[in-house]
Amino acid sequence: MDLRPSCTIYINNLNDKIHKEELKRSLYELFSQFGHILDIVAMKTMKMRGQAFIIFKEISSANVAMRALNGYPFYDKPMRIQYSKKESEVISRMRGTFVEKGGKKKRPEDEEANKQKKKKTNKPGDKGQRAMNGEVSVPRMEMSTAAPSRQQQAAEQQVPHHILFLSNLPDETNDIMLSMLFNQFPGFKEVRLVPGRSDIAFVEFDTDSHAVPAREALQGFKITTTHAMQIDYSKK
């Protein structure tokens, strides 16, 4: 059964021997080139081992990431990627469609009203006393995994690198075709295709400065009438 397109993608068949924080960091580095990531959820419980959820801000980003990396070898195991069956809570809250467990839709204006009500009813020191009595839960301190702002992400993408990442390539793409395009630029070294994936590839130059004019000249180049090549600098 085909799942509806979603901002959240579900990944399984991940290497469960990788430490959780390293896994999340590596997933972010790999998937952030496709769009703004709001959150990455990965847990090491028995039920969730080898699985993760990546929440993009835009459905289009999730779609491109899924098409580009489904089956991509990640820590020696091919990833299996599909849309998540349920919309993530962070997306629901952004859209104002979040529904609490009781079944009541919680609107942003309702949350603000509740905050104001709590300010009026809670006296200084009340919360601490109630927490000691077990009447309220004390929030746990957790490390933030929030993605960088759009401005920070854009700045990172503009940092030149001697390796270029190509995406949105047509199925008939091969290394000879790409070499003919890029070897006209000084410093060209090689084209590296991804096994089993014809829509993405890497092109390496001798130096960062050699890669810059190639990216600028061929950005958006249409190998076919329906595929405009997307070129990004690889992460340093």
Side-chain angles (χ1 to χ4, degrees), residues 58 72 98 113-114 127 190 208 216 225:
E58 305 290 345
Y72 183 81
F98 177 65
N114 287 335
K127 189 172 183 179
E190 65 174 350
D208 295 355
E216 292 177 350
T225 56

Side-chain angles (χ1 to χ4, degrees), residues 127-190:
K127 189 172 183 179
Q129 184 61 46
R130 290 165 63 203
M132 291 176 63
N133 295 337
E135 297 174 17
V136 296
S137 60
V138 180
R140 295 178 299 167
M141 296 296 291
E142 296 182 354
M143 290 182 63
S144 173
T145 57
S149 67
R150 184 180 294 274
Q151 291 81 3
Q152 289 174 319
Q153 198 172 30
E156 289 178 357
Q157 290 175 348
Q158 295 305 313
V159 176
H161 192 277
H162 68 284
I163 296 177
L164 301 177
F165 173 74
L166 315 183
S167 59
N168 198 38
L169 301 175
D171 292 339
E172 58 266 35
T173 301
N174 56 52
D175 55 348
I176 297 176
M177 184 186 301
L178 293 176
S179 294
M180 289 177 63
L181 279 175
F182 285 91
N183 67 8
Q184 60 185 305
F185 298 95
F188 170 79
K189 288 185 68 175
E190 65 174 350

